[in-house]
Amino acid sequence: MSNNEKLLKKAQKLSIHEKMFQCPICSGAMKVERMASLECENRHCYDISRQGYVNLLNQTPRTKYDKALFEARKKISGSGFFGPMVEAVTSRLIQAMKSRESRKSVRLLDAGCGEGSHLSAILRKLREQRMVPDVLGVGMDIAKEGIVTAAKTSPDPIWCVADLSQSPFADQQFDYILNILSPSNYSEFRRLLTSDGMLVKVIPGSMYLQELRALFYTGTGKETYSNDGTMELFIRHFERIEFDELRYRVILDSNQMKQLIHMTPLSWSISPEVIERMPDGEMEVTADFTLLYGWI
């Protein structure tokens, strides 16, 4: 399939779901025009890129999330580091979808999707289940480099560069929202969810990457982490909540450790000299997650 054919196919998919969108500037309804752009009733226009994603930002944000970081995160995802977490999220979604079997199709938004690895893996696993509805996956992130990587490697979902505080979607468009290791905007989540929709938020547990914290932050008071504040904020915004805790250990080789260090914000305030003192060879690393589920 040529690039033009791929772009046309993506534009056609956007056209089918164009009522899902609203203009991030004026909140006006949007339509796909000339199979090349999303345009609102007030003529605010957003081009569909040749990779098939739509950039709905009005200005370029300053961010440390660059191409190298997303490439590192993709490699770590490919190593299976996040595998048990993805399995746990998928299982919970399957359970929820089977309780709503009357739905022929559902929409799943990954808010803060990064390079798209989690959403792509979850969609693949969901579609292996014959008993769940047809799922439209939508990924959004404020970092363009992440969305470019996602669109190149997994063309099936709808990918958008967008700001969660001005999300380009109309009210009550999503049955499920994922928010995995990413900042939240609960007022937007409540606006975007259907009346019986569910938010799945994944946050680090207290032992998450404890080995890196010990190496980077010994003697600084940052060796430990608490997610209590995040959990309290989550609880305040939902009528009904559930949560699971998931902890496991993964052995990474020296190259994978370099990728892990590059992908995590834990390393942003650390000098290159400290990183260079990391021991060579394999290292066992702790993955620790709290999975939060919320209903309006």
Tab-separated table of all heavy atoms in Angstrom, residues 180-222:
chain	number	residue	atom	x	y	z
A	180	ILE	N	-1.947	6.018	31.815
A	180	ILE	CA	-0.897	5.133	32.307
A	180	ILE	C	0.406	5.897	32.528
A	180	ILE	O	1.020	6.396	31.574
A	180	ILE	CB	-0.674	3.959	31.329
A	180	ILE	CG1	-1.979	3.169	31.150
A	180	ILE	CG2	0.450	3.052	31.807
A	180	ILE	CD1	-1.905	2.067	30.109
A	181	LEU	N	0.801	6.015	33.799
A	181	LEU	CA	2.056	6.686	34.162
A	181	LEU	C	2.145	8.057	33.502
A	181	LEU	O	3.183	8.445	32.954
A	181	LEU	CB	3.262	5.813	33.767
A	181	LEU	CG	3.293	4.413	34.376
A	181	LEU	CD1	4.479	3.623	33.817
A	181	LEU	CD2	3.363	4.454	35.898
A	182	SER	N	1.039	8.791	33.556
A	182	SER	CA	0.938	10.067	32.858
A	182	SER	C	0.096	11.027	33.687
A	182	SER	O	-0.773	10.586	34.451
A	182	SER	CB	0.305	9.839	31.485
A	182	SER	OG	0.266	11.034	30.733
A	183	PRO	N	0.309	12.342	33.551
A	183	PRO	CA	-0.499	13.309	34.309
A	183	PRO	C	-1.992	13.199	33.979
A	183	PRO	O	-2.375	12.765	32.891
A	183	PRO	CB	0.067	14.660	33.863
A	183	PRO	CG	1.446	14.365	33.399
A	183	PRO	CD	1.382	13.004	32.785
A	184	SER	N	-2.821	13.628	34.930
A	184	SER	CA	-4.270	13.534	34.783
A	184	SER	C	-4.893	14.920	34.662
A	184	SER	O	-4.303	15.928	35.050
A	184	SER	CB	-4.894	12.841	36.004
A	184	SER	OG	-4.432	11.521	36.135
A	185	ASN	N	-6.116	14.933	34.125
A	185	ASN	CA	-6.982	16.106	34.169
A	185	ASN	C	-8.387	15.571	34.424
A	185	ASN	O	-9.088	15.183	33.494
A	185	ASN	CB	-6.909	16.898	32.864
A	185	ASN	CG	-7.684	18.199	32.929
A	185	ASN	OD1	-8.849	18.216	33.332
A	185	ASN	ND2	-7.063	19.285	32.536
A	186	TYR	N	-8.768	15.516	35.694
A	186	TYR	CA	-9.988	14.801	36.052
A	186	TYR	C	-11.250	15.478	35.535
A	186	TYR	O	-12.232	14.805	35.221
A	186	TYR	CB	-10.047	14.608	37.567
A	186	TYR	CG	-9.013	13.629	38.056
A	186	TYR	CD1	-7.907	14.049	38.786
A	186	TYR	CD2	-9.121	12.275	37.767
A	186	TYR	CE1	-6.948	13.152	39.219
A	186	TYR	CE2	-8.162	11.364	38.197
A	186	TYR	CZ	-7.084	11.810	38.925
A	186	TYR	OH	-6.122	10.920	39.339
A	187	SER	N	-11.255	16.794	35.446
A	187	SER	CA	-12.445	17.452	34.897
A	187	SER	C	-12.650	17.061	33.441
A	187	SER	O	-13.788	16.849	32.992
A	187	SER	CB	-12.323	18.971	35.044
A	187	SER	OG	-11.196	19.464	34.322
A	188	GLU	N	-11.562	16.929	32.684
A	188	GLU	CA	-11.680	16.488	31.296
A	188	GLU	C	-12.076	15.015	31.218
A	188	GLU	O	-12.896	14.624	30.382
A	188	GLU	CB	-10.367	16.716	30.544
A	188	GLU	CG	-10.203	18.116	30.011
A	188	GLU	CD	-11.262	18.463	28.977
A	188	GLU	OE1	-11.088	18.142	27.789
A	188	GLU	OE2	-12.285	19.069	29.374
A	189	PHE	N	-11.518	14.194	32.077
A	189	PHE	CA	-11.899	12.778	32.073
A	189	PHE	C	-13.396	12.624	32.326
A	189	PHE	O	-14.076	11.845	31.647
A	189	PHE	CB	-11.117	12.007	33.144
A	189	PHE	CG	-9.650	11.869	32.850
A	189	PHE	CD1	-8.747	11.627	33.878
A	189	PHE	CD2	-9.157	11.970	31.561
A	189	PHE	CE1	-7.392	11.485	33.625
A	189	PHE	CE2	-7.792	11.830	31.296
A	189	PHE	CZ	-6.916	11.591	32.336
A	190	ARG	N	-13.935	13.368	33.272
A	190	ARG	CA	-15.360	13.288	33.571
A	190	ARG	C	-16.190	13.782	32.391
A	190	ARG	O	-17.259	13.238	32.094
A	190	ARG	CB	-15.685	14.106	34.828
A	190	ARG	CG	-15.097	13.513	36.109
A	190	ARG	CD	-15.355	14.423	37.299
A	190	ARG	NE	-16.775	14.512	37.594
A	190	ARG	CZ	-17.411	13.708	38.447
A	190	ARG	NH1	-16.755	12.759	39.085
A	190	ARG	NH2	-18.695	13.854	38.672
A	191	ARG	N	-15.706	14.802	31.708
A	191	ARG	CA	-16.431	15.327	30.543
A	191	ARG	C	-16.429	14.333	29.391
A	191	ARG	O	-17.428	14.184	28.676
A	191	ARG	CB	-15.791	16.653	30.094
A	191	ARG	CG	-16.512	17.324	28.929
A	191	ARG	CD	-15.834	18.610	28.515
A	191	ARG	NE	-14.570	18.381	27.831
A	191	ARG	CZ	-14.465	18.070	26.541
A	191	ARG	NH1	-15.532	17.905	25.784
A	191	ARG	NH2	-13.264	17.894	26.000
A	192	LEU	N	-15.317	13.635	29.203
A	192	LEU	CA	-15.160	12.767	28.038
A	192	LEU	C	-15.791	11.394	28.216
A	192	LEU	O	-16.145	10.746	27.223
A	192	LEU	CB	-13.675	12.597	27.707
A	192	LEU	CG	-12.923	13.866	27.276
A	192	LEU	CD1	-11.442	13.569	27.116
A	192	LEU	CD2	-13.496	14.433	25.990
A	193	LEU	N	-15.936	10.941	29.460
A	193	LEU	CA	-16.481	9.607	29.699
A	193	LEU	C	-17.994	9.568	29.495
A	193	LEU	O	-18.704	10.522	29.827
A	193	LEU	CB	-16.166	9.149	31.119
A	193	LEU	CG	-14.773	8.580	31.392
A	193	LEU	CD1	-14.576	8.387	32.895
A	193	LEU	CD2	-14.550	7.263	30.655
A	194	THR	N	-18.478	8.436	28.980
A	194	THR	CA	-19.910	8.196	28.937
A	194	THR	C	-20.439	8.055	30.369
A	194	THR	O	-19.661	7.911	31.313
A	194	THR	CB	-20.226	6.921	28.147
A	194	THR	OG1	-19.534	5.814	28.756
A	194	THR	CG2	-19.778	7.046	26.694
A	195	SER	N	-21.765	8.072	30.517
A	195	SER	CA	-22.359	8.064	31.852
A	195	SER	C	-21.987	6.819	32.654
A	195	SER	O	-21.967	6.849	33.885
A	195	SER	CB	-23.876	8.185	31.750
A	195	SER	OG	-24.412	7.109	30.986
A	196	ASP	N	-21.718	5.712	31.979
A	196	ASP	CA	-21.297	4.485	32.664
A	196	ASP	C	-19.856	4.124	32.327
A	196	ASP	O	-19.442	2.974	32.440
A	196	ASP	CB	-22.221	3.320	32.335
A	196	ASP	CG	-22.303	3.052	30.828
A	196	ASP	OD1	-21.782	3.872	30.041
A	196	ASP	OD2	-22.893	2.029	30.449
A	197	GLY	N	-19.068	5.126	31.917
A	197	GLY	CA	-17.687	4.886	31.506
A	197	GLY	C	-16.748	4.682	32.684
A	197	GLY	O	-17.082	4.981	33.841
A	198	MET	N	-15.554	4.186	32.394
A	198	MET	CA	-14.568	3.862	33.428
A	198	MET	C	-13.206	4.445	33.078
A	198	MET	O	-12.749	4.353	31.930
A	198	MET	CB	-14.439	2.342	33.578
A	198	MET	CG	-13.409	1.896	34.615
A	198	MET	SD	-13.343	0.083	34.840
A	198	MET	CE	-12.533	-0.451	33.327
A	199	LEU	N	-12.560	5.050	34.072
A	199	LEU	CA	-11.170	5.494	33.945
A	199	LEU	C	-10.255	4.451	34.553
A	199	LEU	O	-10.500	3.967	35.659
A	199	LEU	CB	-10.963	6.832	34.658
A	199	LEU	CG	-9.499	7.306	34.769
A	199	LEU	CD1	-8.941	7.671	33.401
A	199	LEU	CD2	-9.371	8.489	35.727
A	200	VAL	N	-9.209	4.083	33.815
A	200	VAL	CA	-8.162	3.206	34.330
A	200	VAL	C	-6.883	4.029	34.433
A	200	VAL	O	-6.331	4.455	33.417
A	200	VAL	CB	-7.927	1.989	33.412
A	200	VAL	CG1	-6.842	1.087	33.995
A	200	VAL	CG2	-9.212	1.210	33.187
A	201	LYS	N	-6.455	4.288	35.656
A	201	LYS	CA	-5.232	5.073	35.870
A	201	LYS	C	-4.183	4.183	36.509
A	201	LYS	O	-4.446	3.524	37.518
A	201	LYS	CB	-5.508	6.290	36.763
A	201	LYS	CG	-4.254	7.145	36.980
A	201	LYS	CD	-4.582	8.459	37.650
A	201	LYS	CE	-3.307	9.265	37.909
A	201	LYS	NZ	-2.583	9.644	36.660
A	202	VAL	N	-2.994	4.178	35.929
A	202	VAL	CA	-1.869	3.395	36.460
A	202	VAL	C	-0.825	4.364	36.992
A	202	VAL	O	-0.371	5.260	36.271
A	202	VAL	CB	-1.256	2.488	35.374
A	202	VAL	CG1	-0.090	1.694	35.951
A	202	VAL	CG2	-2.314	1.551	34.791
A	203	ILE	N	-0.459	4.178	38.262
A	203	ILE	CA	0.539	5.044	38.886
A	203	ILE	C	1.655	4.187	39.480
A	203	ILE	O	1.458	3.000	39.756
A	203	ILE	CB	-0.082	5.933	39.987
A	203	ILE	CG1	-0.696	5.088	41.106
A	203	ILE	CG2	-1.141	6.851	39.375
A	203	ILE	CD1	-1.278	5.910	42.251
A	204	PRO	N	2.848	4.756	39.663
A	204	PRO	CA	3.932	3.978	40.278
A	204	PRO	C	3.611	3.626	41.715
A	204	PRO	O	3.015	4.427	42.447
A	204	PRO	CB	5.133	4.930	40.197
A	204	PRO	CG	4.750	6.003	39.231
A	204	PRO	CD	3.271	6.119	39.308
A	205	GLY	N	4.004	2.425	42.133
A	205	GLY	CA	3.954	2.061	43.539
A	205	GLY	C	5.214	2.540	44.239
A	205	GLY	O	6.151	3.050	43.612
A	206	SER	N	5.272	2.365	45.546
A	206	SER	CA	6.388	2.886	46.336
A	206	SER	C	7.725	2.243	45.987
A	206	SER	O	8.786	2.832	46.207
A	206	SER	CB	6.106	2.697	47.829
A	206	SER	OG	5.962	1.321	48.132
A	207	MET	N	7.692	1.023	45.411
A	207	MET	CA	8.933	0.310	45.087
A	207	MET	C	9.315	0.427	43.611
A	207	MET	O	10.290	-0.184	43.178
A	207	MET	CB	8.792	-1.170	45.450
A	207	MET	CG	8.399	-1.440	46.896
A	207	MET	SD	9.687	-0.961	48.054
A	207	MET	CE	10.823	-2.326	47.842
A	208	TYR	N	8.574	1.216	42.837
A	208	TYR	CA	8.827	1.310	41.395
A	208	TYR	C	10.245	1.828	41.122
A	208	TYR	O	10.630	2.894	41.588
A	208	TYR	CB	7.799	2.246	40.756
A	208	TYR	CG	7.919	2.379	39.251
A	208	TYR	CD1	7.736	1.283	38.417
A	208	TYR	CD2	8.206	3.606	38.659
A	208	TYR	CE1	7.820	1.397	37.043
A	208	TYR	CE2	8.296	3.730	37.286
A	208	TYR	CZ	8.108	2.627	36.475
A	208	TYR	OH	8.194	2.738	35.100
A	209	LEU	N	11.012	1.043	40.380
A	209	LEU	CA	12.397	1.389	40.016
A	209	LEU	C	13.218	1.783	41.244
A	209	LEU	O	14.064	2.686	41.181
A	209	LEU	CB	12.421	2.520	38.972
A	209	LEU	CG	11.660	2.267	37.662
A	209	LEU	CD1	11.862	3.430	36.703
A	209	LEU	CD2	12.075	0.960	37.008
A	210	GLN	N	13.005	1.072	42.354
A	210	GLN	CA	13.715	1.414	43.587
A	210	GLN	C	15.226	1.300	43.428
A	210	GLN	O	15.989	2.020	44.090
A	210	GLN	CB	13.241	0.520	44.725
A	210	GLN	CG	13.539	-0.968	44.532
A	210	GLN	CD	13.221	-1.792	45.773
A	210	GLN	OE1	13.038	-1.242	46.853
A	210	GLN	NE2	13.168	-3.102	45.623
A	211	GLU	N	15.674	0.418	42.543
A	211	GLU	CA	17.118	0.248	42.335
A	211	GLU	C	17.737	1.517	41.734
A	211	GLU	O	18.855	1.908	42.098
A	211	GLU	CB	17.370	-0.949	41.421
A	211	GLU	CG	16.936	-2.282	42.012
A	211	GLU	CD	15.438	-2.545	41.914
A	211	GLU	OE1	14.720	-1.758	41.240
A	211	GLU	OE2	14.971	-3.539	42.504
A	212	LEU	N	17.017	2.163	40.825
A	212	LEU	CA	17.520	3.419	40.254
A	212	LEU	C	17.487	4.532	41.289
A	212	LEU	O	18.406	5.360	41.352
A	212	LEU	CB	16.698	3.807	39.028
A	212	LEU	CG	16.771	2.881	37.816
A	212	LEU	CD1	16.074	3.520	36.622
A	212	LEU	CD2	18.209	2.543	37.458
A	213	ARG	N	16.426	4.569	42.081
A	213	ARG	CA	16.355	5.589	43.126
A	213	ARG	C	17.528	5.457	44.099
A	213	ARG	O	18.126	6.457	44.512
A	213	ARG	CB	15.031	5.471	43.889
A	213	ARG	CG	13.829	5.945	43.113
A	213	ARG	CD	12.555	5.908	43.945
A	213	ARG	NE	11.453	6.428	43.190
A	213	ARG	CZ	11.155	7.713	43.052
A	213	ARG	NH1	11.913	8.620	43.649
A	213	ARG	NH2	10.132	8.109	42.330
A	214	ALA	N	17.862	4.211	44.449
A	214	ALA	CA	18.974	3.988	45.373
A	214	ALA	C	20.297	4.450	44.768
A	214	ALA	O	21.147	5.034	45.457
A	214	ALA	CB	19.045	2.511	45.749
A	215	LEU	N	20.477	4.205	43.467
A	215	LEU	CA	21.719	4.594	42.803
A	215	LEU	C	21.803	6.106	42.592
A	215	LEU	O	22.874	6.708	42.736
A	215	LEU	CB	21.826	3.885	41.454
A	215	LEU	CG	22.168	2.394	41.496
A	215	LEU	CD1	21.908	1.756	40.144
A	215	LEU	CD2	23.614	2.192	41.911
A	216	PHE	N	20.670	6.727	42.235
A	216	PHE	CA	20.688	8.137	41.871
A	216	PHE	C	20.538	9.088	43.053
A	216	PHE	O	21.089	10.189	43.039
A	216	PHE	CB	19.554	8.440	40.882
A	216	PHE	CG	19.707	7.788	39.531
A	216	PHE	CD1	18.614	7.655	38.686
A	216	PHE	CD2	20.931	7.305	39.092
A	216	PHE	CE1	18.739	7.066	37.433
A	216	PHE	CE2	21.064	6.706	37.857
A	216	PHE	CZ	19.970	6.587	37.022
A	217	TYR	N	19.783	8.672	44.073
A	217	TYR	CA	19.344	9.634	45.078
A	217	TYR	C	19.783	9.330	46.508
A	217	TYR	O	19.276	9.934	47.446
A	217	TYR	CB	17.810	9.722	45.051
A	217	TYR	CG	17.260	10.289	43.769
A	217	TYR	CD1	16.322	9.573	43.028
A	217	TYR	CD2	17.667	11.529	43.300
A	217	TYR	CE1	15.803	10.076	41.853
A	217	TYR	CE2	17.153	12.049	42.128
A	217	TYR	CZ	16.215	11.319	41.400
A	217	TYR	OH	15.709	11.830	40.241
A	218	THR	N	20.723	8.412	46.682
A	218	THR	CA	21.191	8.097	48.029
A	218	THR	C	21.677	9.358	48.745
A	218	THR	O	22.494	10.111	48.210
A	218	THR	CB	22.334	7.059	47.983
A	218	THR	OG1	21.833	5.848	47.420
A	218	THR	CG2	22.872	6.783	49.380
A	219	GLY	N	21.123	9.583	49.947
A	219	GLY	CA	21.537	10.736	50.738
A	219	GLY	C	20.833	12.027	50.397
A	219	GLY	O	21.129	13.069	50.987
A	220	THR	N	19.871	11.993	49.465
A	220	THR	CA	19.181	13.224	49.057
A	220	THR	C	17.772	13.335	49.641
A	220	THR	O	17.129	14.372	49.496
A	220	THR	CB	19.067	13.293	47.525
A	220	THR	OG1	18.165	12.270	47.072
A	220	THR	CG2	20.421	13.119	46.858
A	221	GLY	N	17.287	12.266	50.253
A	221	GLY	CA	15.920	12.276	50.748
A	221	GLY	C	14.896	11.863	49.710
A	221	GLY	O	13.694	11.838	49.981
A	222	LYS	N	15.369	11.535	48.499
A	222	LYS	CA	14.461	11.132	47.421
A	222	LYS	C	14.520	9.633	47.139
A	222	LYS	O	14.027	9.162	46.119
A	222	LYS	CB	14.820	11.883	46.127
A	222	LYS	CG	14.669	13.390	46.213
A	222	LYS	CD	15.039	14.034	44.879
A	222	LYS	CE	14.918	15.540	44.942
A	222	LYS	NZ	15.290	16.178	43.649
